[in-house]
Amino acid sequence: MLDDVVAVLACPHCGADLDRTGNSLRCAANHVFDIARQGYVSLLPGGTKVAGDTAAMVAARADFLAAGHYAPIADAAAEALSGVEGCVVDIGAGTGYYLARALEGSDRIGLALDVSKYASRRAAKAHPRMGAAVADAWQRLPVRTGAASAVLNVFAPRNAAEMHRVLRPDGRLVVVVPNGDHLADLVSALGLLKVDERKQERLTEQLADHFDLIAQRTCEFRLSLAEAEAEAVVAMGPSAWHADPEALRAQIAALPKPLAPTASVTIASYRPRP
């Protein structure tokens, strides 16, 4: 756990600053959080029970992203952070793939927050200037008020009030959401969960009280997937909770080849409202 990242963290119980003592983080009220040997720290309040991504889902995502299939999305998100210095907080960071790309070629530091300990284990090692903590996006984030120069949110839950609280007044929020036709060929052929056609509209409504839109672009490109990669793209997302792996494998094997669905997302940048 990087000391630079510790400096932006806050106690999830009382909100006080955290300081490092050996392999633990401690606040003035003597709340103590041990740093795991994998390099991340769990900052979930006691008694919190949430269902984060499983080890299998995280492994599928790591393999798929490492193959570069979503590199254009990562590049577009990093470009949207152009000019930002300081700390980038990624909420729902998963394995840290997008945050790591955003840190390249800069002096920024990154804090990856995710409710899955399996994801946080990987994020802690994703980049030398990145730290990782287990946290629930729907609760008060374990981040000091105004400590983030930017907040990144890619295919993840959005708690507008908390994102606004942790951002500097001149900070930037970058949000990536799938469009209605994202992976549409696979979705229809395999009977997967569909993206809400009103997702962008709902996002605008969700953020309206706290943020003003300053820029928006569509990133769309065609994928070329082997059967195992098509399985991975299902296994790493919300459809994994409902799909039977054996049945899914058989369905994919029966699909016409090549497997070339279109990825389609929107990257939007916002500034916090006063």
Side-chain angles (χ1 to χ4, degrees), residues 4 14 16 27 48 52 57 66 99 104 137 142 152-153 156 181 206 215 219 232 247:
D4 285 345
C14 64
C27 74
T48 300
M57 292 172 71
L99 181 56
E104 291 177 3
L152 181 62
N153 182 266
D181 54 354
Q206 196 176 30
C219 178

Side-chain angles (χ1 to χ4, degrees), residues 67-143:
H69 295 298
Y70 279 1
I73 299 174
D75 290 341
E79 184 180 343
L81 291 168
S82 176
V84 170
E85 299 178 358
C87 180
V88 179
V89 176
D90 189 348
I91 301 173
T95 63
Y97 172 77
Y98 298 102
L99 181 56
R101 186 65 64 95
L103 299 183
E104 291 177 3
S106 74
D107 294 325
R108 303 168 191 141
I109 61 169
L111 171 60
L113 300 179
D114 199 279
V115 76
S116 168
K117 66 180 181 180
Y118 304 107
S120 296
R121 287 174 182 174
R122 293 179 183 262
K125 304 178 186 304
H127 193 279
R129 293 197 309 278
M130 186 192 305
V134 179
D136 182 2
W138 295 116
Q139 300 190 49
R140 183 180 176 90
L141 296 173
V143 179

